[in-house]
Amino acid sequence: MRIYAAADYEEMSQRAASILAAHVITKPDAVLGLATGSTPIGTYDRLAAMHQKGMLDFSQVTTVNLDEYEGLSGEHPQSYRYFMNKHLFERINIPREHTFIPDGLAKNSAEECKRYTALLHSLKNIDIQLLGIGSNGHIGFNEPSDSFCRDTHVVMLAEQTRKNNSRFFSSPEEVPARAITMGIGNIMSAESILLLANGKNKSDALFAALFGPITPKVPASILQFHNNVTVAADEEALCAIREFTRWEGKIYDC
Ligand code: GLP
């Protein structure tokens, strides 16, 4: 695992965009696993800017997103489909039929989970999976639990997660109670993983994920078992790691 320290959100986003861009340049038909939340917005802005300058071609790229709220249509402004269209897909030349996100409005969510898992298998490998981290250590919507779930599944969102994400909705009650998410096995089967974290409220979760015991109570801790993980984080998110490791530089290999 390699950790890049970024002074701030801008530098973290630049680093992440450069890593993703390198994948698209070296493999024009790359499969990118994408994430939502406030963390990757700056990364998507930079990828869109690179495309607009003629530096990046997404015409052969395929994307698969981690998750979607159950019950929200792609037109709902808080759905992850809407988010991806707005922050990335509408700004680059990716054919819409190359972009995959679980269907929050599927009549039968269990069937939708099976369909999404089968889709992931049919794509063979995700070349790089972008991840944020919840303040409780969740990845995608894999919440702290007693066991790791392998494939795409329906989850009850943790109260903490609904509270954190309520900032995007007009009231906390509007945050859906359930979501569909890629499983830990799906995430771990990616060739490489790029985990982003910024802000003080991520410091404890990032430390627990990267230096704590590997446990489903901190879902992101499973990443310690993956052999190609890159972390880009700002100084605030690195605070607990800096204190524990006494690391002072820009790159930490562990
Ligand atoms: C959501 C998403 C995650 C994301 C997390 C952190 O719950 N399902 O994929 O990593 O929240 O969000 P943010 O980046 O807004 O802190």
Side-chain angles (χ1 to χ4, degrees), residues 36-39 67 80 132-133 138 140-141 161 165 167-168 202:
T36 50
S38 50
T39 308
D67 47 12
Y80 286 164
I133 184 169
H138 76 236
F141 267 135
T161 302
N165 291 2
R167 68 190 194 278
F168 302 112
K202 299 294 173 69

Side-chain angles (χ1 to χ4, degrees), residues 202-223:
K202 299 294 173 69
S203 173
D204 290 344
L206 193 65
F207 172 73
L210 306 186
F211 291 88
I214 295 164
T215 163
K217 307 270 182 228
V218 182
S221 63
I222 195 74
L223 299 176

Side-chain angles (χ1 to χ4, degrees), residues 136-163:
N136 62 0
H138 76 236
I139 46 176
F141 267 135
N142 290 272
E143 296 283 24
S145 151
D146 291 333
S147 58
F148 291 113
C149 197
R150 190 181 65 178
D151 288 325
T152 308
H153 59 288
V154 177
V155 278
M156 288 292 295
L157 297 181
E159 266 322 297
Q160 180 69 47
T161 302
R162 293 188 71 216
K163 204 171 137 206

